[in-house]
Structures are given as C-alpha cells and as structure tokens.
Amino acid sequence: MAGLIDLKKLQSIIQRTPEEKNLPKHLILNLFPLNSQEENKKEEFNKLLDIFFEMMDLQKEKNIPIMTISLGGKEDIDENVLFEKTKLILKKANEYRMKVSVFGRWYDLRGQLVEELKRLNSETDGFDNFFLNICINYDPKQEIADASRVIIRKILMEKLDIDSITPEIIKENIYSSFFVPPDIVIEPSRRFSGTFLWDSKNSKIYQLNKKVLDINKADVIRVIETYATISTK
C-alpha cells in the first residue's frame, strides 16, 4: 500500500516553468515482458534493474515530477534479485529525495521481499522532490476490480450512495488516485500493457519496437523530446 501523499506539495511540483511547460508531468514506462528462459531469468532481470536505475537517474535529470515504471506480473519478476536490489532502490531514492510507491499485488510475493517493499513505501514517505511509482505483480484489470470492490464495500456500509458513482469516484479509488493522468506511456513493443488503464485515455503512447533489455536512457529522452515538440503545436 502506498503511503499518504502531500497533495499541496504534489500540486506545486507538477507546476511547470515556461521552459518546462511542454515536458511531461507523468511518464509511464513498461519494462516487461522479459520472456526469459528459466535458466537466464536471474541474469536478465539483473540487466532489467540496471535499466530501472538509469530511469531513476533520468527522472531527476529531466525533472519529471511523476514516473511510473511497471515491472509486470509475477511471471516477469525474479523475486530473489528484486529482494537484493531493493536496498539500492532505497539508497537512490534517499539521494534524490524521491517518494516511492509500490502498486499491484506485490504483497502476494514471498515474505522477505514484501517486507523490503514495505520499507520502500514507508522510508520514503517524507520525500517530495519526485514521485516514483513501481508496479510489481500488477494487472490493470485487477486494479479496476480492486477499486470496484472498495466502492461496493462503501455502498454496503452506507458510506456511499450507488447513484452517486461517477468516473471521479472510481478515480478516487484506483491505485493512482493521487496522481495526474500520464502524459506519456512508453511500450517496448506494439502491445499495449494497460498500466494505469483508467487514467490513460488521452495519453500519448510511444512504441519503441525493441526488446525490453535493449531499451536505454536515450530512447526515453527521444520520446520526451518528441512529446515536447508535439506539445508546442
């Protein structure tokens, strides 16, 4: 579960200077599927996390207020490698004063990893220079199902009237409730992953047509620059 977000601070961060007005406020990057053979999964997931760390650097360098990186479902993740690297994620988040929120059914993973992910959420709660969302064991349909379950529970508890349900009410109950919708969604291939599906209606979708492990910082910079050019028109 993500920690509480200081909404006033978040609003101030996403305000852009004239020089930055055409840059994205929220960027989604999908780093899956790896499609690794079991014998190569550890090595390839390590390489994937090297890309992940590059993107943390890029978020700071390009002053992107909100970045969401999806690592996919349980089948895409090497839990042992992720457990080993969470301390490095926390170290970099501390360096950049970056609030990390973990979304998805990550609490269904093994116990030690769950505890480390809880630490990522809790120990970065006081940071507000940047917001980094990590989707782990994430399914976009499950996100909407979870939001529906919360809304139904509120109706049964008579805290919400069924006739008052609006798109805004659903937005308030999805994982990304605090955040502005993504400006950019970057996909490795022509396959649409559906990350933050409810919020992606007007997002610009960029397909890199590359294998996940071939993605690099330069690819994402080109997307940002393309978006900035389009936004000026």
Side-chain angles (χ1 to χ4, degrees):
M1 182 179 295
L4 294 176
I5 305 293
D6 183 336
L7 296 182
K8 289 183 178 179
K9 180 64 176 179
L10 179 58
Q11 287 300 315
S12 69
I13 289 172
I14 63 175
Q15 296 302 314
R16 290 306 208 173
T17 65
E19 294 77 19
E20 298 172 325
K21 67 178 182 178
N22 296 316
L23 295 177
K25 300 180 181 73
H26 184 181
L27 181 152
I28 291 178
L29 174 62
N30 292 302
L31 290 179
F32 71 96
L34 269 181
N35 295 323
S36 300
Q37 298 296 322
E38 195 59 39
E39 62 270 20
N40 300 324
K41 190 171 183 180
K42 180 177 181 179
E43 179 185 356
E44 293 185 354
F45 194 73
N46 260 306
K47 291 178 181 177
L48 179 79
L49 290 182
D50 288 341
I51 299 170
F52 176 90
F53 288 119
E54 281 191 354
M55 297 309 153
M56 290 183 75
D57 296 335
L58 180 65
Q59 182 175 7
K60 180 179 183 295
E61 290 167 15
K62 291 297 183 180
N63 195 25
I64 300 170
I66 307 164
M67 181 178 283
T68 298
I69 300 177
S70 180
L71 302 179
K74 191 172 183 178
E75 68 280 3
D76 299 300
I77 295 164
D78 186 299
E79 296 185 41
N80 292 323
V81 172
L82 185 57
F83 172 75
E84 293 167 3
K85 293 297 179 78
T86 48
K87 290 182 176 64
L88 294 177
I89 297 173
L90 182 58
K91 180 179 179 182
K92 194 175 283 284
N94 274 291
E95 180 184 349
Y96 294 159
R97 297 192 60 80
M98 188 176 281
K99 170 71 185 87
V100 179
S101 299
V102 185
F103 295 125
R105 294 209 157 191
W106 53 271
Y107 43 81
D108 288 338
L109 304 175
R110 67 184 182 90
Q112 283 184 308
L113 176 55
V114 169
E115 292 306 310
E116 287 299 300
L117 295 175
K118 284 180 181 177
R119 283 187 63 209
L120 270 181
N121 275 326
S122 63
E123 294 191 17
T124 61
D125 259 351
F127 299 151
D128 52 22
N129 283 3
F130 302 94
F131 293 84
L132 174 65
N133 304 320
I134 312 174
C135 296
I136 297 174
N137 197 20
Y138 170 87
D139 182 293
K141 293 180 179 179
Q142 188 62 56
E143 177 183 8
I144 294 173
D146 288 345
S148 301
R149 191 177 299 109
V150 171
I151 291 169
I152 291 168
R153 193 172 292 126
K154 289 177 181 178
I155 292 170
L156 292 175
M157 295 173 66
E158 299 184 349
K159 292 184 177 181
L160 184 67
D161 184 86
I162 192 168
D163 292 324
S164 68
I165 297 174
T166 62
E168 290 72 27
I169 292 292
I170 295 175
K171 166 68 175 174
E172 289 172 9
N173 289 280
I174 58 176
Y175 301 160
S176 58
S177 57
F178 293 113
F179 299 109
V180 294
D183 302 295
I184 294 174
V185 178
I186 301 177
E187 300 283 4
S189 66
R190 295 184 182 278
R191 172 179 173 268
F192 178 57
S193 303
T195 304
F196 288 179
L197 183 62
W198 185 265
D199 264 352
S200 298
K201 178 183 176 184
N202 295 312
S203 304
K204 300 287 190 300
I205 300 174
Y206 294 86
Q207 298 164 327
L208 299 179
N209 297 320
K210 299 181 78 169
K211 293 180 179 178
V212 171
L213 292 181
D214 291 335
I215 295 172
N216 56 51
K217 190 189 291 189
D219 293 322
V220 179
I221 290 173
R222 279 194 293 272
V223 169
I224 292 170
E225 290 173 348
T226 300
Y227 174 83
T229 301
I230 292 171
S231 297
T232 59
K233 295 179 180 179

